[in-house]
Amino acid sequence: MTDGSHESQGQVPSRQRRRFPGISSRAYEHPADRSALVALRRLSGFDTVFKALSGLLPERSLRLLFLSDSVRVSDAQFSHLNDMLRDACYILDLEKVPPMYVSQNPQPNAMCIGLDEPIIVVTTGLVELLDEEEMRAVVGHEVGHALSGHAVYRTILLFLTNLALKVAWIPLGNVAIMAIVTALREWFRKSELSADRAGLLVGQDLRASMRGLMKIAGGNHLHEMNVDAFLAQADEYEKAGDLRDSVLKILNVLPRSHPFTTVRAAELKKWSETRDYQRIMDGHYPRRDEDKDTSVTDAFKESASHYADSVRSSKDPLMKLVGDIAGGAGDLGGKLRDKFTGAGGGSGKGAGAAGGDATDGSQESRRPEDPEDPSGPGAAGS
């Protein structure tokens, strides 16, 4: 099952879903994902560490571990997950179906790892938490990681995180390692946004994707939760407080491998309402056979444009201040004072007026998270 072509399996989705033959991962990759990966590769010492670990990491041992101590998904075991996996590979046109394992762990989680070939692992906690359509989005999320080639960097992050803990007692022993781990986590969080989009392309059910993220945050009490109220939390999180809260948000997210769940949900919903998403669903998307002709410069421009739009539309106090500065707003000292103290009058109001369009932002500016944390706080399962 795991090493054959999906087309030879003859598997058809349980309901009619649009398929994307030859789709490139560029179609769904978040601009921040690509730019963070470029920054990671430019980090001093990363290439050396990457090449060294690529030869040293015990991938054979990793595969044997899952084979010996987890349940491999197949027609005979977890057949419903096997159907979802083949569906996802069929829809995203991933020719080789990756091996998939179910691992005993009450923590809802999923991951895609491996150096030579990707392996998908889901925990029993996640399988028991989600319904069929929610789980389909998670499986699509992991297949999106495989198609994007994310598994290699995720495996290295797993290894380096464990290594940093082991050498923490050595003076300065983990400083260089933690620099790379921090950069990897930054990219990892952005890659989750890309994979969430892939999950939506596979499941083609936005509400199911939203429910899955909501359950990861609040457990299996769906009758007690509401998707719209959950999305409202993301809006409140982004615009609440002053600059002190903005700094705390940054500090809170740094040790995590995933963005916050409400933020992920909001970001996915925002993307589902864009023309880019609609064009993909209409069959107009970048193809894999065009990847070799893509321009790195164009990718940088797209990332720069994305960040500029994010600053303009953001309701976060820090991003508003950045927008004010970029827009030439005066009284910077007064702005900083008011933002940090939460003062609403005087120069604070003047700053808002001076910021104009750059500070007001749109109602749709939010950000998201995902469920498959290999390490650190915030593990979630997709």
Side-chain angles (χ1 to χ4, degrees), residues 187-296:
W187 163 76
F188 196 113
R189 289 189 292 269
K190 300 301 187 292
S191 74
E192 290 301 300
L193 307 185
S194 296
D196 280 344
R197 295 176 175 187
L200 179 58
L201 291 177
V202 167
Q204 298 174 26
D205 184 342
L206 179 63
R207 301 297 284 189
S209 294
M210 296 291 103
R211 290 198 311 270
L213 290 168
M214 191 166 60
K215 282 184 176 180
I216 287 165
N220 193 19
H221 300 280
L222 203 56
H223 63 289
E224 298 284 354
M225 297 183 284
N226 178 278
V227 170
D228 294 329
F230 186 65
L231 290 171
Q233 289 181 223
D235 188 59
E236 181 180 349
Y237 169 78
E238 183 180 4
K239 67 185 180 183
D242 51 31
L243 279 183
R244 291 169 297 182
D245 296 285
S246 296
V247 173
L248 289 174
K249 292 176 190 177
I250 295 172
L251 295 176
N252 284 340
V253 81
L254 279 179
R256 298 172 60 93
S257 65
H258 288 65
F260 292 115
T261 318
T262 57
V263 179
R264 286 175 54 196
E267 185 80 6
L268 184 61
K269 183 176 186 296
K270 184 171 71 171
W271 184 68
S272 74
E273 296 167 349
T274 64
R275 178 172 173 76
D276 288 342
Y277 173 73
Q278 191 56 56
R279 281 179 58 81
I280 295 173
M281 296 305 295
D282 290 340
H284 305 292
Y285 50 81
R287 309 276 169 157
R288 244 168 275 164
D289 55 13
E290 301 167 351
D291 285 350
K292 63 182 183 301
D293 301 321
T294 57
S295 166
V296 175

Side-chain angles (χ1 to χ4, degrees), residues 87-113:
D87 287 354
C89 293
Y90 177 78
I91 290 170
L92 293 181
D93 199 17
L94 184 64
E95 183 175 352
K96 192 170 184 180
V97 180
M100 183 175 180
Y101 294 89
V102 176
S103 179
Q104 171 62 30
N105 189 330
Q107 175 72 39
N109 197 7
M111 59 183 175
C112 180
I113 55 175

Side-chain angles (χ1 to χ4, degrees), residues 1 22 74 100 132 137 167 214 216 221 229 236 337 339 347 374 376:
M1 184 288 287
S74 66
M100 183 175 180
E132 180 179 351
V167 302
M214 191 166 60
I216 287 165
H221 300 280
E236 181 180 349
R337 181 189 66 246
K339 293 289 186 180
S347 60

Side-chain angles (χ1 to χ4, degrees), residues 291-311:
D291 285 350
K292 63 182 183 301
D293 301 321
T294 57
S295 166
V296 175
T297 302
D298 290 343
F300 275 124
K301 288 180 180 178
E302 183 180 354
S303 297
S305 175
H306 163 75
Y307 280 117
D309 290 342
S310 297
V311 170

